[in-house]
Amino acid sequence: MGGEAPEAGVLLTVDDGRLTSVVTGADPGGAERLPGLTLPGLANAHSHAFHRALRGRTHTDGGSFWTWREVMYRAAERLDPDSYHRLARAAYAEMALAGVACVGEFHYLHHGPGGRPYDDPNAMGEALVAAAADAGVRITLLDVCYLSGGLAEDGTHRPLAGPQLRFGDGSADAWATRVGAFTPRGAHARVGAAAHSVRAVPAADLPTVVRLADTGGLPLHVHVSEQPAENAACLAAYGTTPVRVLADAGALTERTTLVHATHLTDADVATVRGSGCAVCLCPTTERDLADGLPRTGDLTAGPHRVPLSLGTDQHAQLDLFEEARAVELHERLRTHRRGTLGSAELLRAATSDGHAGLGWHDAGTLTPGARADLVTVSLDGVRLSGADPERATDAVVFAASAADVRHVMVDGAWTVRDGAHLSLPDTARELDAAIKELL
């Protein structure tokens, strides 16, 4: 299963942030030539910006998702709106350098130490929106309802404690009130809704989250069945799986994205396929945390295909090409079979389906009227040397890296030229300073 054959000599015209024409075989006239393969802008559908500080610090010495989480909490303790803005700005600039035009920020670090709200209760969200503007990417701020510190073995919900106190609003109604009062600044930003998980949002509170999303027509994202322990705790609490709890709360619609969905039962797979919702996979995080291998082929085979999107989650790596090919390569490991998803389907997950899951339905394609988001990938580097030009899409999806991205345009404005970020030309130094300030 290969990708669509790329076309040579395509003339793209842009006006007011939109593609106004896409013409094959046209006289280029004085148009700028973009050597390489030009793709639609990529969508990073699941990000925790502050996790970028953990890269290279949590990958060895054994442990599990749960021990990794304790390190993550320590980083969360130290952020304030100013330091979060600096870290997120640099992390989003790194995304832009990797071809990302839009990020879905799964945002739950809401309040100050001890859970005390800032004078502006959405100050941390404002910091992320401003960071995205500075980095030249769009953002869907997926504001997360987070009410419980987890599910105990007996099925009871634990109270928030320690750094988790910064995540909670006290009640689902208070969360909804805060989110409803937030209007992000700038046309590059919009708000979505999220429930962290059935561990962090009791079933009785899920309808409040669903109601806010339904009222505003917002994207709704939820972590689901990332770990077997989550499923076991949910079974003890509710007698069923997280997917069933969400379905019973009315949370599974065409605007819903389930993140990870690693450990689904047969009944869960049928429910997800029948609901119209999407699944966001984050392979580099899922393998780093030893989460397991999702049932990708079962979700995407035949009719009622589940749309897939991609996220870099904890940013163990920040490379959407690696995330895309890992979806297929992980499925090969699970099934011992090659060719479940071809490069065209993987590219769709990284572009149009990813943007749609974040509420930007007019992005992710190179068609007239779409947002002018472009990513030009060099075919001259060592990773792609010798590739067949007729199969350049296959070569990019299965062999390119973020380092091969040369130019990035978002909404008609260049963000990256010749591999350098225009507004943060020393992104590495910005990242280094922000992380050292935090850790």
Side-chain angles (χ1 to χ4, degrees), residues 296-314:
T296 306
D298 297 334
L299 292 169
T300 58
H304 308 297
R305 166 191 173 272
V306 176
L308 299 181
S309 58
L310 305 173
T312 60
D313 196 353
Q314 63 153 327

Side-chain angles (χ1 to χ4, degrees), residues 14 17-19 32 34 39-42 96 99-101 136 138 371-376 407-417:
V14 176
R18 300 275 174 173
L19 290 170
E32 178 183 2
L34 299 174
L39 305 169
L42 309 180
V100 171
R138 289 192 303 278
R371 291 176 177 271
D373 297 345
L374 308 177
V375 178
T376 298
H407 311 297
V408 180
M409 175 183 286
V410 179
D411 284 332
W414 290 114
T415 298
V416 173
R417 298 303 314 258

Side-chain angles (χ1 to χ4, degrees), residues 96-326:
L97 288 166
V100 171
C102 184
V103 58
E105 182 62 36
F106 201 84
H107 168 52
Y108 54 79
L109 185 52
H110 300 306
H111 304 300
R116 184 181 68 257
Y118 292 102
D119 291 341
D120 174 0
N122 286 297
M124 296 293 264
E126 288 278 15
L128 292 165
V129 168
D134 292 345
V137 300
R138 289 192 303 278
I139 184 170
T140 297
L141 191 75
L142 298 159
D143 198 295
V144 177
C145 185
Y146 200 127
L147 303 175
S148 163
L151 279 166
E153 291 181 1
D154 63 0
T156 60
H157 280 270
R158 299 186 179 99
L160 297 174
Q164 293 176 332
L165 292 169
R166 301 191 68 177
F167 309 160
D169 288 286
S171 70
D173 287 337
W175 168 82
T177 297
R178 180 180 56 74
V179 177
F182 180 48
T183 302
R185 301 175 190 176
H188 73 294
R190 58 185 52 171
V191 172
H196 180 274
S197 59
V198 299
R199 293 183 288 108
V201 182
D205 292 303
L206 286 170
T208 300
V209 180
V210 173
R211 195 157 47 244
L212 177 77
D214 287 349
T215 300
L218 306 179
L220 173 61
H221 288 222
V222 192
H223 289 139
V224 171
S225 294
E226 182 176 3
Q227 289 284 327
E230 175 186 330
N231 285 3
C234 186
L235 184 64
Y238 301 115
T240 190
T241 65
V243 165
R244 188 71 255 164
V245 171
L246 292 169
D248 291 345
L252 302 186
T253 75
E254 292 182 353
R255 288 179 288 100
T256 301
T257 296
L258 305 179
V259 183
H260 303 304
T262 309
H263 299 281
L264 302 184
T265 66
D266 289 346
D268 290 339
V269 170
T271 298
V272 172
R273 287 176 63 94
S275 70
C277 71
V279 167
C280 178
L281 300 176
C282 308
T284 64
T285 289
E286 289 150 5
R287 70 191 183 205
D288 178 63
L289 299 181
D291 287 345
L293 298 173
R295 299 172 60 174
T296 306
D298 297 334
L299 292 169
T300 58
H304 308 297
R305 166 191 173 272
V306 176
L308 299 181
S309 58
L310 305 173
T312 60
D313 196 353
Q314 63 153 327
H315 316 309
Q317 293 180 246
L318 222 164
D319 188 333
L320 266 292
F321 299 121
E322 174 61 23
E323 303 292 348
R325 62 177 159 264

